[in-house]
């Protein structure tokens, strides 16, 4: 093998990741590629990244390509991640949605939901809010491009380390049962969320319009053009007044999207009333100021 070979293999893997998910790996994070793929190399008895590339090239649409991409994705998540945002959703966004609703149906989409903590945090929050939602139909749909992450999410079984990060003890005791070294989330909460494997850049498993869309810590690794396409995908499932929640530090200003920032609330955007974007901007300020 030449000295340049590992770099060449890493380039090809980055290209594969980008083609399948839109995500790019910055130069500074390239070194991580080999370490994230090491378990897959070991499991498949492959001696190197070159051997992995060769195997993928023999079957470009096979499971190995999906597994390699999966291993390169960042699936970092936790319950009630960035708790301030969840408080804002509970205290400002959801009451606003309830107030403006024409029917008692609440539809939420978590795009890039990883292993399920975000969607399940919303489900637990809605339960905690109690009787206000009693006569509502609630649908929380969570999608991710990663089949492995969605499978874990569906199982709702989390390691001790996962339930120690951000999950209040009363929610842990109320909704989880200790199972060996892990914690199993109750059927009642799991039944509130549906999951599907879907690419945000080309969604096939999503239909209808949502009241609230979360897409947090996903846009971070998209180049601007891809970010624009991703936000257009989200906008296709938003009606005027739909709320969009992004991750801390994720900006969509200048991408020409339908979503305008809610001035007083970090990370929250609202889909404009197409005919009058200025009004949407005012709504964003007024609606959530209180
Ligand atoms: C860092 S995790 C964020 C999880 C969760 N939203 C949160 O903030 O805790 C990003 C997730 O986005 C998913 N993802 C990346 N590109 C995607 C795409 N094109 N379509 C759907 N999901 C994608 C990854 O698989 C990963 O699980």
């Amino acid at each position: 093998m030449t000295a340049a070979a590992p770099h060449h293999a890493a380039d090809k893997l980055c290209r594969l990741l980008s083609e399948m998910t839109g995500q790019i790996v910055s130069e500074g994070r390239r070194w991580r590629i080999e370490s994230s793929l090491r378990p897959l190399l070991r499991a498949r008895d492959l001696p190197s990244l070159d051997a992995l590339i060769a195997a993928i090239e023999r079957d470009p649409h096979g499971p190995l390509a999906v597994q390699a991409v999966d291993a390169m994705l960042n699936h970092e998540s936790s319950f009630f991640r960035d708790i301030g945002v969840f408080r804002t959703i509970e205290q400002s966004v959801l009451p606003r949605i309830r107030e403006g609703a024409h029917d008692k149906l609440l539809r939420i989409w978590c795009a890039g939901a990883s292993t399920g903590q975000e969607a399940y945090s919303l489900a637990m929050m809605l339960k905690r809010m109690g009787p206000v939602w009693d006569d509502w139909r609630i649908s929380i749909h969570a999608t991710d491009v990663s089949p492995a992450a969605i499978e874990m999410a569906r199982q709702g079984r989390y390691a001790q380390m996962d339930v120690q990060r951000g999950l209040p003890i009363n929610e842990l005791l109320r909704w989880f049962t200790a199972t060996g070294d892990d914690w199993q989330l109750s059927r009642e909460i799991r039944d509130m969320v549906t999951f599907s494997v879907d690419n945000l850049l080309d969604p096939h498993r999503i239909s209808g319009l949502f009241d609230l869309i979360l897409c947090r810590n996903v846009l971070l690794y998209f180049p601007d053009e891809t970010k624009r396409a991703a936000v257009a995908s989200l906008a296709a499932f938003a009606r005027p007044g739909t709320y969009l929640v992004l991750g801390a530090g994720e900006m969509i200003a200048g991408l020409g999207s339908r979503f305008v920032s809610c001035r007083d609330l970090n990370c929250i955007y609202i889909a404009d009333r197409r005919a009058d974007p200025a009004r949407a901007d005012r709504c964003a300020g007024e609606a959530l100021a209180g």
Side-chain angles (χ1 to χ4, degrees), residues 29 83 261 278:
R29 292 166 58 98
I83 185 66
S261 168

Side-chain angles (χ1 to χ4, degrees), residues 51-92:
L52 174 63
I53 285 288
I56 290 173
E57 283 174 350
R58 283 194 295 276
D59 184 13
H61 304 293
L64 188 59
V66 175
Q67 286 165 2
V69 165
D70 221 318
M72 287 186 283
L73 286 166
N74 172 1
H75 296 303
E76 171 74 17
S77 191
S78 57
F79 289 103
F80 296 97
R81 182 178 189 176
D82 300 331
I83 185 66
V85 173
F86 277 91
R87 279 200 201 105
T88 302
I89 295 172
E90 178 171 356
Q91 293 167 11
S92 301

Side-chain angles (χ1 to χ4, degrees), residues 17-18 20-23 69-70 73-79 81-82 86 109-119 143-147 149-150 197-202 214-222 226 230 247 250:
L17 174 69
S18 166
M20 288 175 67
T21 70
Q23 303 268 316
V69 165
D70 221 318
L73 286 166
N74 172 1
H75 296 303
E76 171 74 17
S77 191
S78 57
F79 289 103
R81 182 178 189 176
D82 300 331
F86 277 91
W109 175 22
C110 293
S114 188
T115 39
Q117 291 93 326
E118 184 177 78
T143 58
D144 199 285
V145 74
S146 159
I150 288 297
V197 177
D198 211 11
N199 188 340
L200 171 57
L201 301 172
D202 184 21
L214 284 81
C215 184
R216 302 193 312 149
N217 306 301
V218 182
L219 304 183
L220 223 52
Y221 308 109
F222 287 152
T226 313
E250 288 178 310

Side-chain angles (χ1 to χ4, degrees), residues 47-203:
S48 64
L49 293 185
D50 280 318
L52 174 63
I53 285 288
I56 290 173
E57 283 174 350
R58 283 194 295 276
D59 184 13
H61 304 293
L64 188 59
V66 175
Q67 286 165 2
V69 165
D70 221 318
M72 287 186 283
L73 286 166
N74 172 1
H75 296 303
E76 171 74 17
S77 191
S78 57
F79 289 103
F80 296 97
R81 182 178 189 176
D82 300 331
I83 185 66
V85 173
F86 277 91
R87 279 200 201 105
T88 302
I89 295 172
E90 178 171 356
Q91 293 167 11
S92 301
V93 175
L94 289 173
R96 219 36 235 189
I97 290 173
R98 250 196 347 260
E99 235 169 70
H102 300 300
D103 51 12
K104 293 193 166 185
L105 171 63
L106 173 68
R107 293 196 79 215
I108 302 176
W109 175 22
C110 293
S114 188
T115 39
Q117 291 93 326
E118 184 177 78
Y120 289 140
S121 299
L122 289 169
M124 286 185 265
M125 173 201 286
L126 288 161
K127 284 287 186 192
R128 191 173 60 212
M129 290 175 81
V132 287
W133 296 109
D134 270 359
D135 49 352
W136 281 64
R137 279 182 301 139
I138 295 174
S139 149
I140 305 173
H141 190 67
T143 58
D144 199 285
V145 74
S146 159
I150 288 297
E151 182 49 34
M152 281 187 63
R154 280 199 181 106
Q155 285 173 14
R157 189 176 169 134
Y158 294 94
Q160 180 73 29
M161 199 177 66
D162 294 321
V163 299
Q164 274 170 345
R165 296 173 60 208
L167 184 66
I169 186 75
N170 54 322
E171 305 282 8
L172 175 67
L173 297 176
R174 183 170 178 197
W175 300 116
F176 290 78
T177 311
T179 313
D181 290 341
D182 296 335
W183 291 85
Q184 177 64 58
L185 181 57
S186 73
R187 171 61 65 192
E188 189 175 346
I189 295 295
R190 276 155 61 211
D191 281 351
M192 289 176 69
V193 184
T194 53
F195 291 96
S196 54
V197 177
D198 211 11
N199 188 340
L200 171 57
L201 301 172
D202 184 21

